[in-house]
Amino acid sequence: MTVFPLISGKSMESAKERIFLSTPHMTGNEMKYIHQAFETNWIAPLGPNVEAFERQIADYIGVKSSLAVSSGTSAIHLALQLIGVNPGDKVFCSTLTFVASANPILYERAEPVFIDSEEESWNMSPEALKKAFLAAAEEGELPKAVIIVHLYGQSAKMDELLEICNSYNVPVIEDAAESLGSTYKGKKSGSMGLFSIYSFNGNKIITSSGGGMLVSNDEEAVIRARHLATQAKDPAPYYEHSEKGFNYRLSNVLAGIGRAQLEVIENRVAIRRSNFFTYANRLGQIPGISFQPELEGTKSNRWLSVLLLDPNHIDTTPTALKEVLEAENIEGRHVWKPLHMQKLFAGCKFYKHGEGEAVSEKLFKYGFCLPSGSNMSADQQERVIDVLERSFDAYGIK
Ligand SMILES: *Cc1c(COP(=O)(O)O)cnc(C)c1O
C-alpha cells in the first residue's frame, strides 16, 4: 500500500510558517512567579504578584501610585470615574486610535469629541485641540477630561497639549497602552497626565495574558480606584455598599506573568526599535515609502513599525499590501480607522488639524502596520521585506 503525504491540496510552498503582527514573547521566568502563586495558593485576584507588579510599574514609570486591573480598557474607565465624568459630559479623545480608548466614554453615557492627528507624531494635534476647546468654551461647556493616545509607541506632543489643557483646567488621561518603555523629553511616556493607563493585552510590548495598569501621582485617587475596582465595598463587618463598583482587579496568577515580562522591558524596546530600523533602512529607500516619524526629543518603543504610502509616487494601497502579505502567510494590518469615521460614533463632533483632508484620515488611507514582534527572527523579517520589495517593484514607482 502506498502512503501519500497528507498535504491536503496545499503545495509545500504555501505551507510557509505564519509571521504574526505581534505575539507574546515569554522570558522563561513567568512560570517562577506562577508557581509561587500556586504554592502559596494565591490563585485569587490580589496577592503578592499583584503587589509586586504594581510597585515595579510605579518605580519604572516614576509615579507614586499604581493599580493593577483586568485590562487597559477598565483602567480608562476607572480614570473617567475618578475624574467624575457623568452622563452628557464631554470627553475629548484622540481620533486615531483603537476603539478601547473611547469605549469607556460610552460606558458613562458621556459624549466623545474626537481630535485629529498632526503629521509629526501622528498623535493628537495641538491646533485641533485648541479649536475644540474654543468651540466648547463658546458653547459654555468644557470637557471633563482629555484622553491623549501615544500611537504605536510614539509619544504625543505633551508639552503643547498639556499647556492647552492646563489653561482650561481640564485633566489629562494618557492612554499609554501602546507606549510602555517610550520616553518624552527624558520622562517616561505615561508619567505626565493626571492619570495614565497601560495595557498588557497579548499583542502589546509586554503581556500578562490580559491586564492593565492605572498610574498616578495622586495616591488618594488610586486608593479610591482600588475601592471602585473591588466592588466598592464600604468598611463594615457585613456587605455594605453606598456607590456603584466594578470587578476590575487583576488576577495574582496573571500578575506573575506581568512581573517577569516587565523585567525585560528594555530588551523588548531595543529589539522592536532594531526591527524598525531594519525596515526603515531597507524600505525607506524606495520612493513613496516613509515611516511613522519619531518626534524630536522622544524615543518610541516602536511597538509597531508603521509605513506610509505616498500615492503620488507609489501605486498601491494598504488593502493590496495586506493581501500580498497574506498570500505569503504574513500578517499585516491597516492603521486604526479613525474613531470619528466609525458607525459607533456617528454624530460625534470632530476637530481637524488644518484645512482639507484630515491628517488622521490620510494616515488611515495610506498607513500600514508591519510584523513587529520582539520574537520575530531575522529570517522572518527578511521574508517580510522580500515580499514587500517585490510587491513595490510590481506596483511600480510613478
Ligand atoms: C490595547 C489598547 C487599549 C486597551 O487595552 P486592553 O488591555 O486590551 O483593554 C487601549 N488603548 C489603546 C491605544 C490600545 O492599543
Side-chain angles (χ1 to χ4, degrees):
M1 193 178 115
T2 318
V3 177
F4 294 99
L6 284 170
I7 311 180
S8 66
K10 278 194 172 181
S11 72
M12 292 302 282
E13 184 59 20
S14 71
K16 279 178 187 154
E17 172 203 15
R18 185 157 178 81
I19 302 174
F20 291 95
L21 192 78
S22 177
T23 59
H25 182 184
M26 294 297 109
T27 67
N29 261 341
E30 289 81 3
M31 288 311 285
K32 180 176 88 185
Y33 298 117
I34 292 176
H35 274 137
Q36 282 174 13
F38 273 72
E39 277 156 17
T40 53
N41 206 31
W42 276 107
I43 307 302
L46 317 183
N49 280 336
V50 171
E51 283 159 32
F53 191 33
E54 286 176 344
R55 204 171 46 244
Q56 231 177 324
I57 284 276
D59 291 348
Y60 178 69
I61 303 302
V63 292
K64 286 189 187 148
S65 229
S66 63
L67 176 73
V69 288
S70 52
S71 68
T73 311
S74 57
I76 298 173
H77 192 196
L78 287 169
L80 295 178
Q81 293 279 320
L82 295 171
I83 288 168
V85 171
N86 290 314
D89 285 344
K90 285 192 176 82
V91 176
F92 290 179
C93 183
S94 305
T95 192
L96 190 60
T97 183
F98 182 44
V99 69
S101 301
N103 264 335
I105 304 171
L106 300 183
Y107 300 167
E108 290 307 310
R109 283 177 285 143
E111 179 194 332
V113 174
F114 294 110
I115 315 293
D116 201 6
S117 302
E118 40 78 9
E119 317 237 2
E120 289 169 338
S121 76
W122 296 11
N123 286 301
M124 187 182 280
S125 150
E127 285 77 10
L129 180 65
K130 257 183 232 162
K131 290 182 206 167
F133 264 113
L134 283 173
E138 211 156 275
E139 288 162 23
E141 198 208 331
L142 291 177
K144 275 286 183 72
V146 178
I147 301 175
I148 300 174
V149 178
H150 305 303
L151 198 67
Y152 301 125
Q154 171 59 52
S155 298
K157 293 185 172 177
M158 288 308 288
D159 283 351
E160 291 89 334
L161 297 171
L162 280 171
E163 192 186 325
I164 298 166
C165 295
N166 291 342
S167 74
Y168 287 96
N169 238 328
V170 173
V172 164
I173 300 168
E174 282 183 84
D175 180 346
E178 301 174 1
S179 68
L180 183 68
S182 304
T183 59
Y184 177 88
K185 300 188 180 175
K187 285 177 267 192
K188 285 284 183 336
S189 186
S191 64
M192 291 158 276
L194 176 60
F195 300 108
S196 298
I197 74 95
Y198 297 93
S199 166
F200 311 112
N201 181 26
N203 70 2
K204 296 287 156 50
I205 193 161
I206 64 165
T207 183
S208 62
S209 169
M213 195 76 72
L214 175 74
V215 308
S216 180
N217 280 315
D218 185 341
E219 291 169 281
E220 289 302 313
V222 174
I223 289 171
R224 181 163 156 68
R226 201 174 295 274
H227 171 72
L228 294 174
T230 326
Q231 306 284 22
K233 184 179 176 295
D234 293 338
Y238 35 80
Y239 287 92
E240 182 77 11
H241 301 276
S242 48
E243 65 181 325
K244 172 181 76 181
F246 306 91
N247 183 3
Y248 275 171
R249 297 307 307 276
L250 182 65
S251 127
N252 191 55
V253 177
L254 299 188
I257 303 176
R259 268 181 91 171
Q261 290 268 295
L262 190 56
E263 289 168 358
V264 299
I265 180 69
E266 295 305 335
N267 166 273
R268 298 306 190 244
V269 172
I271 299 172
R272 288 203 189 232
R273 285 180 64 82
S274 147
N275 290 344
F276 171 81
F277 286 118
T278 303
Y279 281 130
N281 287 336
R282 298 280 299 280
L283 301 170
Q285 316 293 331
I286 300 171
I289 305 290
S290 62
F291 284 85
Q292 181 181 23
E294 191 170 50
L295 199 61
E296 206 185 316
T298 70
K299 181 178 159 189
S300 170
N301 66 12
R302 294 291 182 188
W303 170 54
L304 294 185
S305 292
V306 190
L307 63 74
L308 189 65
L309 302 163
D310 178 349
N312 296 318
H313 289 284
I314 199 156
D315 204 9
T316 185
T317 62
T319 303
L321 284 185
K322 191 169 152 58
E323 281 165 15
V324 164
L325 290 176
E326 199 53 54
E328 297 289 329
N329 209 14
I330 297 168
E331 184 185 23
R333 284 200 198 159
H334 286 78
V335 161
W336 304 123
K337 182 176 177 182
L339 298 185
H340 73 271
M341 298 172 79
Q342 305 280 358
K343 220 187 277 176
L344 174 65
F345 298 109
C348 289
K349 290 191 181 110
F350 167 60
Y351 291 91
K352 272 197 305 186
H353 172 70
E355 299 303 313
E357 189 178 25
V359 173
S360 54
E361 293 183 22
K362 194 189 90 179
L363 294 172
F364 169 60
K365 218 167 5 171
Y366 302 115
F368 191 72
C369 305
L370 300 173
S372 307
S374 52
N375 49 2
M376 176 172 64
S377 69
D379 284 351
Q380 287 178 319
Q381 191 174 18
E382 197 53 43
R383 245 179 78 198
V384 179
I385 292 171
D386 183 56
V387 172
L388 289 171
E389 277 175 345
R390 278 190 284 128
S391 123
F392 292 140
D393 272 353
Y395 283 114
I397 313 296
K398 274 189 194 169

